[in-house]
Amino acid sequence: MSSPFLYSPPPTSIPSLQTHQSIPTTTHSLTRQSWTQSLRANTQSNQFHQAILTYVNMTSSGILPDHFAFPAILKAVAALQHLPLANQIHAHVLKYGYGTSFVPVANSLLNVYGKCGDISHVYKVFERIPQSHRDTVSWNSFISALCRFEDWETALEAFSLMLLDDVEPSSFTLVSVAHACSNLPRHHGLRLGKQLHGYNLRMGDIKTFTNNALMAMYSKLGHLNDAKVVFELFEERDLVSWNTMLSSLSQNDMFLEALLLLHRMVLQGLKPDGVTIASVLPACSHLELLVIGKQLHAYALRHDILIDNSFVASALVDMYCNCRKVHSGRRVFDYATEKKTALWNAMITGYAQNEFDEEALMLFIEMEAAAGLCPNATTMASIVPACVRSEAFVHKLGIHGYVLKRGLGTDHYVQNALMDLYSRMGNIQIAKTIFDNMDVRDIVSWNTMITGYVICGQHNNALLLLHEMQRVDQEKNESSYEHEKRIPLKPNSITLMTVLPGCATLAALAKGKEIHAYAIRNMLASDVGVGSALVDMYAKCGCLNTSRKVFDTIPCRNLITWNVIIMAYGMHGKGAEALELFNCMVKEVKPNKVTFIAIFAACSHSGMVREGQNLFYRMKDEYGVEPIADHYACIVDLLGRAGQVEEAYKLINDMPLELDKTGAWSSLLGSCRIHQKVEIGEIAARNLFHLEPDVASHYVLLSNIYSSAQLWDKATDIRKRMKEMGVKKEPGCSWIEFDDEVHKFIAGDASHPQSGQLYGFLEILSEKMRKEGYVPDTSCVLHNVDEEEKETLLCGHSEKLAIVFGILNSPPGTTIRVAKNLRVCNDCHEATKYISRITDREIILRDVRRFHQFRDGRCSCGDYW
């Protein structure tokens, strides 16, 4: 008898299979029972192709399959997910009279169609099983198929019908239903999930895999504490239990807990597998624990976990690149035997995050051209920042066209990438339009939009969007956010790292403290990125002691953390402490270019000329950091601020020819303003006018030098030149936080609702200050007007308005914190000393250069600024 099959197995299994192939005579002596046993043996040993050949030989030899043979062969077909073959076997089932009345055969058909992706046949087979014949396996196969097609509501409805039919669910049923609950909108899914958990407890089902499913459900629905309770309450935990919990902790940014749980798992004698390693490596990546990451890498190599395991390789690439060991990540990538899209994405992302932009673009091209893989949303999200930064990639908007050509324009991951693209190009309105028109906004969408506002300097909008994000997360029943209700919008470490610089820029201390409290409650404060951002925020809000306390509590400090705290002490004029921190830092991590900029600035603000120069001349030989233009600019500022203007001028002339001298000339010009060095100031200005003709501050500084020297004609000529060239001075602007709102003041502005009160109170203060000995420093006024008008102009400076606003609107004794976009002028600095004594207030003023802490008529800078 010839076989009717059209199935062709892989060449590695059987060289060929003809439909009229002759069958060895020995097979004719086998009984149906022998054939069936052979089928079962092939299937149980995962020899699925061999099982199908056995079935072909069986039917070809004249032995008809029965209700024992069909489930065995259908199991093999399901494993291969071969729909045409499933249809042929189904035809045999009907032909030989083993239809839906034979429930084991029908159940096997449900399973095979579910795994082969034919939901219509799943429905047909299930509906043809007589209701009285449907058993637990029938319902399990049906519910499992519905879950496979992500028809979660129908799967739960089927579970209800199963109970109405008095069919007792099994552990397998509960696993499928838990999976369905985890994919519902959070509130609805959690309610049904808890009901399912209660049913499970009443049933007395304590099977390990059921508890594993409940843990995964609670974790996905955002109730990690409930997942922990389930994990701790049952003792028969297997490797899947531990991996589920580890993965849940990592996915919820609880990285330290994940590492502690891994340690506990190993102590209990369980051997980690590839899933374990892939789940824990993100913790090493985010906490930048390179040593532990290397230990996990070594473990994977010793136990052959890396062989054909693209997930572990991807996690390793991510870990190395996040720890700035990009070349190590590339070695893992190159040695991986199986390079799936996720691995390519990890390497491209690693390059892009470390600003190896050309390498990222080349790998992106290779991925498509050489490997034949199509970039997906993750690829685009990674490559877009590289396109924006890379000078070699000139057609930046062309990437949007590429996205549309690929048909990815409506994918929300790609929309996130496009928002990032336009934000980095300064087109924030286009980014906001994309955001507003998105059908689905996940946490990445909100983070990207908040980041866009920060990039474009719109920090207040960034904070407002954070409030909106939290509001949307709370309002579960608004139909306009139907999709978002499925996605938790809880701010994560990325959100906090993005928005905290906004608090720092606006000196919004109250909002910063609120974010800090949130980070502690949600165990995000230990994240090195969040911790570094908190250190920076407190320092820039004038709370240096709090900044140091946060720094001391960060479990694993990286290079950025050290740079931030050194810069903080420098801005506060504590150069000796900054130098001490630098000496501690070099024992743990290697300093980079930013480190030396920070320490030189600290020395400059504290008048530590000898220490700064000494470090400058040792930085290359001792620390391997080649001085760049910014370092020379810092040393010029160090010398010039200390009055050694001629030495600073000589250093500029001695700079290597290939270095850009713009920053150094700018520092020298500022020093000439402080020490009224007209001749050298003119030389510096001429060079700056050539290098940066459109920068207003250069003209303003020279005009200031002329005005201080009462060279009014020259000062007037500079202002005329600015006007002719269309160069406009940036207006002075100051911020102060009050009642969870940031109030902004511009020099001479009267638009604030309390302007009348502010100017009136300033006049009262001015009278009191004069009685105390204050004399207005009218040299700060660049216009050639009479002294009385100059004093009037001084009263309108933005920092004075902000300080007076703080005094009028806060209880006596409250510290006033003000930030300014420009350098504080001499008069405002002197006036604030008097105001602090008269009002008995501590006033902390941050200008573009440093902090000034006024108390009892004195400033922390000691008038050295």
Side-chain angles (χ1 to χ4, degrees):
M1 179 179 178
S2 63
S3 167
F5 273 62
L6 302 177
Y7 170 71
S8 297
T12 54
S13 302
I14 300 293
S16 63
L17 178 65
Q18 305 296 330
T19 54
H20 295 279
Q21 178 181 357
S22 60
I23 305 299
T25 55
T26 54
T27 61
H28 291 287
S29 62
L30 294 176
T31 63
R32 177 186 291 173
Q33 184 179 5
S34 300
W35 282 108
T36 302
Q37 287 176 349
S38 181
L39 271 174
R40 287 175 174 170
N42 292 150
T43 303
Q44 288 170 1
S45 59
N46 295 332
Q47 296 179 6
F48 304 119
H49 295 291
Q50 186 59 44
I52 293 166
L53 289 179
T54 300
Y55 180 81
V56 171
N57 289 338
M58 172 183 175
T59 54
S60 298
S61 63
I63 304 297
L64 300 180
D66 61 5
H67 58 288
F68 294 110
F70 281 124
I73 187 60
L74 286 169
K75 184 177 179 181
V77 176
L80 296 172
Q81 297 183 9
H82 197 296
L83 182 59
L85 194 52
N87 290 329
Q88 293 180 61
I89 299 289
H90 192 179
H92 275 200
V93 167
L94 298 175
K95 178 179 178 180
Y96 298 130
Y98 294 98
T100 51
S101 58
F102 289 85
V103 177
V105 178
N107 291 344
S108 297
L109 285 168
L110 284 173
N111 178 58
V112 75
Y113 280 125
K115 289 184 177 176
C116 289
D118 190 341
I119 193 65
S120 62
H121 269 91
V122 170
Y123 275 106
K124 287 177 183 177
V125 172
F126 184 77
E127 288 167 358
R128 288 172 183 170
I129 302 175
Q131 185 173 347
S132 59
H133 290 187
R134 294 172 187 161
D135 60 9
T136 302
V137 178
S138 309
W139 285 101
N140 285 352
S141 300
F142 184 53
I143 293 170
S144 177
L146 293 171
C147 287
R148 186 180 293 273
F149 282 87
E150 299 184 4
D151 193 350
W152 314 115
E153 295 283 1
T154 307
L156 292 171
E157 185 181 346
F159 177 61
S160 298
L161 293 173
M162 176 182 182
L163 296 176
L164 289 174
D165 280 355
D166 290 327
V167 179
E168 185 175 335
S170 68
S171 298
F172 295 102
T173 322
L174 301 182
V175 168
S176 294
V177 175
H179 183 51
C181 290
S182 71
N183 285 281
L184 294 176
R186 187 163 61 182
H187 179 73
H188 184 42
L190 188 62
R191 179 176 59 82
L192 294 177
K194 287 188 173 181
Q195 292 177 14
L196 177 69
H197 192 181
Y199 178 85
N200 178 62
L201 293 173
R202 290 195 303 273
M203 291 279 292
D205 189 336
I206 56 172
K207 291 186 175 66
T208 299
F209 60 85
T210 309
N211 285 319
N212 292 343
L214 290 169
M215 285 160 50
M217 176 194 74
Y218 280 124
S219 174
K220 194 169 183 181
L221 291 170
H223 276 240
L224 191 58
N225 286 335
D226 290 330
K228 290 180 188 176
V229 170
V230 175
F231 178 78
E232 297 294 347
L233 284 180
F234 77 99
E235 296 181 359
E236 300 300 321
R237 293 185 285 261
D238 60 7
L239 185 57
V240 175
S241 312
W242 290 90
N243 284 347
T244 301
M245 201 66 240
L246 285 168
S247 177
S248 300
L249 290 168
S250 285
Q251 289 171 7
N252 285 275
D253 295 347
M254 300 178 73
F255 304 116
L256 203 54
E257 277 200 43
L259 291 171
L260 291 172
L261 188 67
L262 174 66
H263 180 66
R264 180 178 157 196
M265 169 185 165
V266 173
L267 288 177
Q268 292 196 14
L270 277 86
K271 183 179 178 181
D273 64 358
V275 176
T276 317
I277 303 300
S279 299
V280 175
L281 277 170
C284 301
S285 176
H286 282 81
L287 297 177
E288 298 189 22
L289 299 175
L290 181 61
V291 174
I292 296 177
K294 285 183 174 180
Q295 290 173 358
L296 292 172
H297 188 181
Y299 178 90
L301 290 171
R302 286 198 307 271
H303 294 84
D304 293 332
I305 291 174
L306 268 179
I307 297 176
D308 297 330
N309 195 322
S310 184
F311 295 106
V312 174
S314 301
L316 280 168
V317 168
D318 176 73
M319 184 274 297
Y320 279 118
C321 292
N322 209 47
C323 293
R324 288 173 295 282
K325 299 294 181 182
V326 182
H327 298 299
S328 297
R330 182 58 194 252
R331 281 198 294 271
V332 173
F333 175 83
D334 288 337
Y335 283 108
T337 54
E338 184 182 15
K339 292 185 177 72
K340 294 184 178 179
T341 302
L343 182 56
W344 286 88
N345 286 346
M347 194 64 246
I348 291 171
T349 301
Y351 276 138
Q353 285 178 345
N354 288 275
E355 299 190 9
F356 286 63
D357 299 322
E358 278 68 35
E359 290 86 346
L361 288 164
M362 291 303 296
L363 196 63
F364 173 70
I365 294 169
E366 184 184 341
M367 174 183 179
E368 185 174 10
L373 295 172
C374 287
N376 60 15
T378 306
T379 322
M380 301 311 302
S382 302
I383 203 65
V384 161
C387 294
V388 175
R389 288 190 302 263
S390 175
E391 294 180 3
F393 190 84
V394 291
H395 303 293
K396 307 201 182 289
L397 292 180
I399 199 72
H400 193 170
Y402 177 86
V403 163
L404 297 175
K405 182 180 177 181
R406 282 286 179 192
L408 297 171
T410 57
D411 184 287
H412 84 278
Y413 294 107
V414 177
Q415 288 172 321
N416 292 341
L418 290 173
M419 284 159 51
D420 180 72
L421 165 74
Y422 285 109
S423 297
R424 293 180 187 277
M425 294 182 66
N427 297 327
I428 192 65
Q429 288 304 320
I430 298 179
K432 187 62 164 61
T433 300
I434 295 172
F435 178 79
D436 290 338
N437 291 325
M438 292 177 75
D439 293 327
V440 178
R441 301 186 192 100
D442 61 5
I443 185 69
V444 178
S445 310
W446 289 87
N447 285 348
T448 303
M449 194 64 235
I450 291 171
T451 303
Y453 278 130
V454 172
I455 289 170
C456 294
Q458 299 184 22
H459 300 287
N460 202 42
N461 283 338
L463 290 172
L464 290 173
L465 194 62
L466 175 64
H467 280 296
E468 175 71 5
M469 173 183 174
Q470 293 171 304
R471 184 186 67 78
V472 169
D473 192 35
Q474 292 170 359
E475 296 178 1
K476 304 293 183 183
N477 298 319
E478 286 196 10
S479 59
S480 59
Y481 296 109
E482 179 180 353
H483 293 288
E484 287 172 313
K485 289 186 289 182
R486 300 172 64 93
I487 305 169
L489 296 180
K490 205 173 181 182
N492 60 11
S493 58
I494 304 297
T495 319
L496 304 192
M497 283 188 284
T498 301
V499 82
L500 278 168
C503 298
T505 300
L506 298 173
L509 179 61
K511 187 63 185 176
K513 285 182 174 180
E514 180 185 326
I515 292 171
H516 189 186
Y518 174 90
I520 293 171
R521 288 195 306 272
N522 292 275
M523 299 190 71
L524 296 174
S526 61
D527 181 278
V528 67
V530 174
S532 301
L534 284 167
V535 170
D536 183 60
M537 183 274 296
Y538 278 117
K540 288 181 178 175
C541 288
C543 301
L544 184 60
N545 290 337
T546 308
S547 177
R548 181 58 186 267
K549 287 178 183 176
V550 174
F551 174 83
D552 289 337
T553 60
I554 298 175
C556 300
R557 296 184 285 260
N558 64 7
L559 178 62
I560 295 172
T561 318
W562 282 101
N563 286 349
V564 166
I565 194 66
I566 291 171
M567 203 169 292
Y569 273 89
M571 285 186 68
H572 283 265
K574 296 184 179 295
E577 291 87 341
L579 194 57
E580 185 181 338
L581 279 166
F582 174 81
N583 292 329
C584 292
M585 170 192 176
V586 295
K587 296 174 184 176
E588 292 188 22
V589 295
K590 183 181 178 181
N592 66 354
K593 296 174 182 178
V594 177
T595 314
F596 284 98
I597 292 173
I599 194 64
F600 292 151
C603 292
S604 179
H605 291 310
S606 300
M608 298 167 59
V609 178
R610 182 176 56 81
E611 293 85 348
Q613 280 186 301
N614 182 36
L615 199 56
F616 176 72
Y617 291 114
R618 292 191 293 119
M619 61 186 289
K620 181 179 179 181
D621 293 335
E622 287 194 24
Y623 304 104
V625 178
E626 184 78 34
I628 59 172
D630 288 337
H631 298 137
Y632 278 93
C634 288
I635 300 303
V636 169
D637 182 71
L638 172 73
L639 293 168
R641 193 181 296 272
Q644 301 178 31
V645 179
E646 288 76 12
E647 289 84 348
Y649 178 44
K650 182 179 182 300
L651 180 63
I652 295 177
N653 291 326
D654 292 339
M655 283 176 65
L657 294 176
E658 67 273 11
L659 293 183
D660 181 9
K661 296 184 178 182
T662 305
W665 286 120
S666 182
S667 295
L668 184 65
L669 184 60
S671 300
C672 292
R673 184 200 61 80
I674 295 171
H675 298 289
Q676 298 183 12
K677 299 286 186 178
V678 177
E679 185 178 345
I680 296 180
E682 288 177 329
I683 296 171
R686 279 198 299 270
N687 282 279
L688 287 168
F689 294 160
H690 173 71
L691 293 167
E692 293 181 332
D694 298 324
V695 176
S697 61
H698 305 327
Y699 299 90
V700 172
L701 280 171
L702 183 59
S703 179
N704 196 315
I705 292 170
Y706 286 146
S707 297
S708 297
Q710 297 187 345
L711 299 172
W712 299 112
D713 291 341
K714 288 192 174 184
T716 302
D717 288 342
I718 291 296
R719 289 197 300 275
K720 284 182 180 178
R721 184 174 177 181
M722 286 180 68
K723 189 174 182 180
E724 290 169 359
M725 295 183 64
V727 178
K728 293 184 179 180
K729 176 184 178 293
E730 182 182 4
C733 180
S734 297
W735 299 268
I736 183 170
E737 184 186 34
F738 173 71
D739 198 21
D740 204 28
E741 183 180 349
V742 176
H743 293 258
K744 183 177 178 181
F745 296 90
I746 297 174
D749 183 27
S751 62
H752 194 276
Q754 291 183 252
S755 286
Q757 290 176 267
L758 300 182
Y759 282 102
F761 188 60
L762 263 175
E763 288 183 17
I764 295 171
L765 273 178
S766 295
E767 288 298 320
K768 291 181 179 179
M769 287 156 58
R770 282 190 178 90
K771 291 178 182 179
E772 294 282 339
Y774 163 70
V775 178
D777 184 354
T778 56
S779 68
C780 299
V781 180
L782 304 184
H783 303 282
N784 187 15
V785 294
D786 60 52
E787 290 298 306
E788 186 177 348
E789 190 173 349
K790 287 182 181 180
E791 291 181 22
T792 303
L793 289 170
L794 288 173
C795 281
H797 280 195
S798 64
E799 56 265 56
K800 286 179 181 172
L801 295 173
I803 290 168
V804 168
F805 173 84
I807 293 170
L808 288 176
N809 290 280
S810 62
T814 305
T815 299
I816 306 296
R817 302 175 191 277
V818 173
K820 187 179 180 182
N821 66 330
L822 303 175
R823 186 179 182 276
V824 63
C825 74
N826 292 342
D827 179 72
C828 287
H829 186 269
E830 188 67 19
T832 306
K833 290 195 286 187
Y834 281 92
I835 293 171
S836 70
R837 186 167 65 224
I838 292 169
T839 60
D840 193 24
R841 296 284 192 121
E842 179 184 8
I843 301 172
I844 298 176
L845 174 60
R846 187 191 82 209
D847 68 11
V848 72
R849 290 272 186 166
R850 62 162 296 156
F851 271 90
H852 300 271
Q853 189 170 355
F854 300 91
R855 183 184 294 165
D856 298 327
R858 293 186 298 274
C859 179
S860 59
C861 74
D863 295 336
Y864 185 85
W865 56 288

